[in-house]
Amino acid sequence: MPHTEDAAPVPPAGHSGDGTGRHPLSSQQEHWCANAGSGSFGPRFTVSKALRITGPVDVAALQGALDDVVVRHEVLRTVIVRDAEPPYQQVRPATRVPLHVRDLPVAWARRDAAAQQLLAEAESTALPVERLPLLRAFLTRFDERDAVLGLVSHHTACDGWALQLIHRDLAACYAARTAGREPGLPALRQYGEYTRWQAENQSGDAAAENLAYWRKRLDGAPFFTLPTDRPIPPEHTELYVAHPFRFDAATTDAVAALAKAARCSRFMVMLGAFAVLASRISGADDPVVNTIVHGRGRPEYQDTVGPFLNFLALRTDLADAGTIRELLLAVRTTCLEAYRHEVPIHWVEQAVPSLMAPMADPRNCDFIFGFSETLAAPAGGADPFLFSEGTVPVAKGESASEQIPGGAAWNMGVAPSGEISGMVQYNPEEFDEETVAGWVAAYRRIVLAVLADPERDWRTL
């Protein structure tokens, strides 16, 4: 039987910081508070994933492991008190994670499609930010040896990297409970410790130097935006949808090879190709692309669950580049400088008012671009993401998407299959599907041309 919201509580864990469980907000949370009207505290502002599990699943051990994760990570049992001055976050005692279990006999030939539908259901799950813990789980069993586990968390407590950490720690706690031992997870710093560190380091000479860099780098520049098919409505009534796309393993390998040859990351190669597309759409040779970064520059917070993600306004001057290889060098320089001067994006937006100027036009859609790396398993050790005999993330299909607080998002990452998997999240009240599909097709052509001949003039792409 599924557990309900009123299930028996798990014994509380200790709090970080000064013992009160009260912490300042992070800059990310402050930004969401300032823009709460866009839906950042709504029940569909979530992150989710689904895992296809081969082998039997011990439901009692899974429930216990979910509860262990909430005890381990304070942010999953934290509320943001927005009506205080200033707002703050408060850690609460741990309560049991709602785990909804059902049996769904499906013919073998239809199970892959059913798994994608279950991922879509997880993405559309409403999770009120006031209902702790900020984690939900859904176990659907096709039979005794084939199941899908859906995980959902609220974005105010979790981001994509953090959801990978939840998966890893959940697998470790599940394995420990089924084996009758301790999970042996390392000690970690809590998200409240990070927000205290951030609050103490948001002023001073270093912060002033970083803002001076952004003022100079972005002087007079606007964000790149997507031209909509219809004016953006004051309030959306339709769900966001996701347009998926994929580059095969051979193309992904070619991206990695070019990145190595150009002393770039895969992200830089894919961003360089997108900068060409952005230039074609906007007509500007120096588009400012708002990009998602994981925001975990300090190694002591690599294992901390919480919303660390940040955005970097990356302005690359393509006019001075001739060949694609020169373009990649320009992108690399832009990225490395931005990493050295990273500050919360809303500081940059306040310091450079021209960035937000396009938002005054209801035909311009706010836009973010991201390329995420998968949290890697340690070499030579057991798979830390494994449940039962086998565990594979469910690939996203074209479906309703998690609610995002306005705009459109273009995200990519390397899938376990070795392919680059991507999707464009957008609202159909703003864009026709054919428009988004056309941009994705153009981007694919640019990427393949970049890989085919890095010495080619980028203007001919």
Side-chain angles (χ1 to χ4, degrees):
M1 295 293 292
H3 293 286
T4 68
E5 303 284 349
D6 300 319
V10 175
H15 300 309
S16 64
D18 59 7
T20 66
R22 179 169 173 167
H23 304 286
L25 300 186
S26 67
S27 62
Q28 295 87 339
Q29 293 168 326
E30 288 176 346
H31 185 61
W32 285 327
C33 282
N35 296 277
S38 64
S40 52
F41 287 89
R44 282 184 48 79
F45 188 43
T46 58
V47 288
S48 58
K49 70 185 305 180
L51 307 168
R52 184 80 173 270
I53 301 175
T54 302
V57 177
D58 184 328
V59 175
L62 178 60
Q63 177 68 69
L66 287 162
D67 298 339
D68 292 340
V69 168
V70 170
V71 171
R72 175 171 167 81
H73 297 288
E74 289 181 353
V75 72
L76 297 175
R77 46 191 170 89
T78 296
V79 294
I80 295 178
V81 182
R82 289 181 280 158
D83 57 359
E85 187 54 48
Y88 63 93
Q89 52 183 331
Q90 178 71 52
V91 180
R92 298 285 174 80
T95 52
R96 179 157 289 175
V97 176
L99 170 60
H100 303 276
V101 182
R102 62 175 171 175
D103 293 314
L104 185 67
V106 175
W108 182 262
R110 297 180 54 243
R111 290 185 182 181
D112 288 347
Q116 283 197 351
Q117 180 58 37
L118 291 170
L119 173 58
E121 287 183 12
E123 291 173 344
S124 62
T125 298
L127 201 171
V129 73
E130 302 85 6
R131 300 298 296 272
L132 299 181
L134 297 178
L135 181 64
R136 301 289 185 272
F138 305 86
L139 180 66
T140 302
R141 297 179 292 202
F142 298 142
D143 59 37
E144 293 182 352
R145 296 184 55 80
D146 190 5
V148 173
L149 175 63
L151 299 173
V152 183
S153 184
H154 202 276
H155 222 326
T156 57
C158 189
D159 56 23
W161 186 275
L163 194 58
Q164 294 185 78
L165 293 172
I166 289 174
H167 173 191
R168 184 197 66 185
D169 290 359
L170 180 62
C173 291
Y174 176 82
R177 283 182 172 270
T178 55
R181 55 174 173 78
E182 292 297 318
L185 290 169
L188 55 78
R189 292 182 181 270
Q190 297 292 344
Y191 190 70
E193 297 178 74
Y194 165 74
T195 64
R196 288 181 178 277
W197 170 85
Q198 190 184 62
E200 293 168 359
N201 289 273
Q202 63 184 6
S203 61
D205 293 342
E209 178 184 344
N210 288 334
L211 280 178
Y213 165 80
W214 290 109
R215 288 192 185 97
K216 181 178 180 181
R217 181 67 179 169
L218 302 175
D219 182 36
F223 270 132
F224 166 75
T225 57
L226 287 175
T228 62
D229 293 311
R230 290 167 291 281
I232 299 171
E235 184 176 343
H236 289 113
T237 58
E238 293 192 32
L239 298 178
Y240 275 71
V241 296
H243 178 85
F245 60 93
R246 188 174 291 266
F247 291 95
D248 61 26
T251 302
T252 304
D253 290 342
V255 170
L258 178 58
K260 183 177 181 180
R263 299 179 62 212
C264 293
S265 66
R266 291 184 291 194
F267 164 74
M268 294 173 188
V269 172
M270 302 308 281
L271 176 62
F274 187 83
V276 174
L277 177 62
S279 177
R280 295 287 180 265
I281 294 173
S282 66
D285 282 346
D286 59 344
V288 181
V289 181
N290 199 12
T291 59
I292 306 172
V293 292
H294 59 62
R296 294 170 181 266
R298 297 189 65 84
E300 60 266 39
Y301 296 108
Q302 293 296 309
D303 291 326
T304 302
V305 169
F308 285 82
L309 65 83
N310 192 20
F311 303 91
L312 290 179
L314 298 181
R315 182 185 192 182
T316 302
D317 190 349
L318 308 181
D320 292 336
T323 66
I324 292 169
R325 196 178 298 277
E326 291 171 345
L327 182 150
L328 294 180
L329 177 59
V331 170
R332 177 180 182 271
T333 300
T334 295
C335 289
L336 294 181
E337 288 182 356
Y339 299 156
R340 286 197 296 269
H341 296 91
E342 182 181 351
V343 295
I345 187 59
H346 61 278
W347 295 9
V348 178
E349 293 171 351
Q350 293 167 3
V352 188
S354 62
L355 284 174
M356 303 303 294
M359 298 300 102
D361 186 340
R363 299 300 292 259
N364 289 331
C365 179
D366 194 11
F367 175 82
I368 53 176
F369 176 91
F371 184 93
S372 59
E373 297 287 354
T374 302
L375 188 62
D383 186 349
F385 301 97
L386 182 67
F387 287 88
S388 195
E389 299 168 12
T391 305
V392 179
V394 177
K396 184 182 292 291
E398 188 164 357
S399 64
S401 173
E402 301 105 322
Q403 189 76 11
I404 59 177
W410 187 304
N411 291 313
M412 293 179 288
V414 180
S417 62
E419 301 174 312
I420 291 177
S421 175
M423 66 173 178
V424 181
Q425 294 171 279
Y426 66 97
N427 197 289
E429 293 179 83
E430 302 172 11
F431 297 99
D432 295 327
E433 195 279 335
E434 293 80 5
T435 299
V436 176
W439 286 329
V440 170
Y443 180 67
R444 181 184 301 278
R445 290 193 297 270
I446 292 170
V447 169
L448 295 178
V450 164
L451 298 175
D453 184 8
E455 307 307 325
R456 178 177 176 177
D457 190 322
W458 71 267
R459 296 172 184 82
T460 66
L461 296 175

